[in-house]
């Protein structure tokens, strides 16, 4: 029953991501046609500051709430008031010190935007306890509905504002409308009403666990968010905007599958801590299933990057096709890690994540700087592909040791799905290079690539992963 419930929650979580993907697939191209690369780069740089400080603001306190077997009102209220106090303080500090922060990013013209973003700290951190209560109850259906509604309203607001000539304010409206409705919705569906309780002992207990996760999140932040800073400082805001736009498109498969899956796997793995063998089995199968879902999407983007950029964003963005292609490959290489991170977090290996993440952050940062220095934006993306390949094998070695799984099993779970996805993508790329297809419109080439890739990948999966696919179709527990 526990496994079936996990699968149900995975379906709910991923379904919400698919709905959000659909909204973005409609709204992002509209915004891209009306906004300039520098405007996209400015918003991306401003959100780096917000995301970075939010990571420390919550101190991982809500993760401690999720791991607790029994809900405790005093713990919930303690974390809520602690989060609210920190969020308010950060909002004031960012507003006051917006100029030096913008200078540090290499985007002094974005200082006013940081002041506009300051209230987002309260809107983002405020409902964290409500969200953790839903996760602890495995009520991902309710959180999914909240996410879809808030994202839909935010996307609608952005499109309306940009069509009215609002420019960069369209992106600001999208962030605020989504944040406000998420704030209200989570409190409503969780039925959490903050009480006047505060316990230093409860706060200390949650901080002891949460601080270790924050350390891991910090080094992961350096890996995932530092490209914007590197590009802004070395190449300028227009290139940062180009990276931001292509990163959004290449990240959509992760937003559909990975974020939904990881949010469910963390509490699910936490509930299996007394059965290590079962935990390892679930890890093995979820790794394979995740890679089978993600890798073909991401490698497929590499195969159809040129027509995809033209169809989705318009002719003026065609120059960014190589950036999109290599960004997608870098993410595809990391697709098996979707189950690794929640597994290590749930099994109490936050310190391992921290040290591992620190090495990864340093490697990625050095590679990005060198790639950007020699080959610009495309060089940065290629450097990320090379480093991510080494990171994947390092992650695999760590997880296999912790889970007690054989190397042969790990290779089977990771490499086989990656190889068949890569073979499919290469076949599609070669097919699209045919002179006959080159004479067709970008939309026709994109559709042809998707069709060819779907057929080839379906055949390869049935030849190599038939049992797993049949289990998923029959809704057997992964």
């Amino acid at each position: 029953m526990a496994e079936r419930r996990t699968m149900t929650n995975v379906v709910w979580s991923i379904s919400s991501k698919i709905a959000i993907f659909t909204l973005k697939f409609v709204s992002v191209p509209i915004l891209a046609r009306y906004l300039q690369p520098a405007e996209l780069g400015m918003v991306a740089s401003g959100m780096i500051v917000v995301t970075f400080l939010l990571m420390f603001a919550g101190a991982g306190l809500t993760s401690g709430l999720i791991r607790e077997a029994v809900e405790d009102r005093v713990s919930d209220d303690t974390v809520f008031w602690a989060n609210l106090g920190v969020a308010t303080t950060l909002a004031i500090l960012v507003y006051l010190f917006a100029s030096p922060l913008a200078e540090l990013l290499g985007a002094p013209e974005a200082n006013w935007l940081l002041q506009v973003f300051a209230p987002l700290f309260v809107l983002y951190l405020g409902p964290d306890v409500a969200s953790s209560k839903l996760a602890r109850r495995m009520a991902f259906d309710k959180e999914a509905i909240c996410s879809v509604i808030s994202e839909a309203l935010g996307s609608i607001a952005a499109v309306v504002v940009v069509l009215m000539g609002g420019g960069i304010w369209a992106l600001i409206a999208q962030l605020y409308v989504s944040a406000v409705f998420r704030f209200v919705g989570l409190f409503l569906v969780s039925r959490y009403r903050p009480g006047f309780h505060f316990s230093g002992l409860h706060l200390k207990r949650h901080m002891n666990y949460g601080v270790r996760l924050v350390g891991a999140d910090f080094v992961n932040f350096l890996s995932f968010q530092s490209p914007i800073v590197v590009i802004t400082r070395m190449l300028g805001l227009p290139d940062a905007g180009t990276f931001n736009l292509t990163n959004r498109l290449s990240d959509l498969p992760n937003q559909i599958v990975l974020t939904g899956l990881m949010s469910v796997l963390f509490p699910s793995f936490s509930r299996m801590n007394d059965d290590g063998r079962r935990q390892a089995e679930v890890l093995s199968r979820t790794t394979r299933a995740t890679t089978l879902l993600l890798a073909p999407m991401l490698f497929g983007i590499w195969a159809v990057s040129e027509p995809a950029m033209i169809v989705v964003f318009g002719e003026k963005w065609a120059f960014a096709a190589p950036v999109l292609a290599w960004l997608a490959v870098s993410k595809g290489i990391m697709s098996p890690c979707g189950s690794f991170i929640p597994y290590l977090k749930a099994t109490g290996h936050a310190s391992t994540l921290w040290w591992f993440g620190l090495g990864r952050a340093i490697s990625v940062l050095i590679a990005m700087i060198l790639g950007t220095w020699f080959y610009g934006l495309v060089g940065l993306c290629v450097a990320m592909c090379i480093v991510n390949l080494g990171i994947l094998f390092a992650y695999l070695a760590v997880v296999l040791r912790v889970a007690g799984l054989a190397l042969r099993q790990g290779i089977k779970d990771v490499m086989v799905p990656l190889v068949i996805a890569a073979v499919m993508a290469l076949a599609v790329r070669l097919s699209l290079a045919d002179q006959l297809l080159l004479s067709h419109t970008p939309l026709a080439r994109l559709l042809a690539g998707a069709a060819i890739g779907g057929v080839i990948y379906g055949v390869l999966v049935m030849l190599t992963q038939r049992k797993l696919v049949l289990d998923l179709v029959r809704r057997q527990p992964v």
Side-chain angles (χ1 to χ4, degrees), residues 2-4 7 278 282 285 471-472 474-478:
E3 289 86 355
R4 288 185 179 277
M7 280 301 298
R278 178 58 184 156
V282 173
R285 301 189 72 192
D471 286 345
L472 290 172
R474 295 167 184 163
R475 292 192 174 183
Q476 295 297 315
V478 174

Side-chain angles (χ1 to χ4, degrees), residues 56-72:
F56 292 101
L61 297 178
T62 51
S63 295
L65 294 179
I66 293 173
R67 291 187 86 230
E68 289 189 336
V70 180
E71 291 189 21
D72 181 78

Side-chain angles (χ1 to χ4, degrees), residues 166-203:
I168 195 173
W169 285 96
L171 299 174
I172 297 171
Q174 183 176 30
L175 290 170
Y176 267 97
V177 171
S178 294
V180 167
F181 279 95
R182 175 181 176 272
F183 185 101
V184 174
L186 287 175
F187 277 104
L188 289 176
V189 299
S190 68
R191 297 183 180 179
Y192 171 62
R193 303 295 181 269
F196 295 100
H197 304 99
F198 193 89
S199 168
L201 291 176
H202 286 267
L203 182 62

Side-chain angles (χ1 to χ4, degrees), residues 52-101:
F52 178 75
L53 294 177
L54 277 173
M55 179 177 55
F56 292 101
L61 297 178
T62 51
S63 295
L65 294 179
I66 293 173
R67 291 187 86 230
E68 289 189 336
V70 180
E71 291 189 21
D72 181 78
R73 186 57 185 247
V74 176
S75 286
D76 291 344
D77 292 346
T78 297
V79 171
F80 171 81
W81 292 113
N83 280 353
L84 187 61
V86 172
T88 303
T89 302
L90 283 177
I92 295 171
L93 290 175
V94 167
Y95 187 87
L96 294 176
F97 296 99
S99 292
L101 285 172

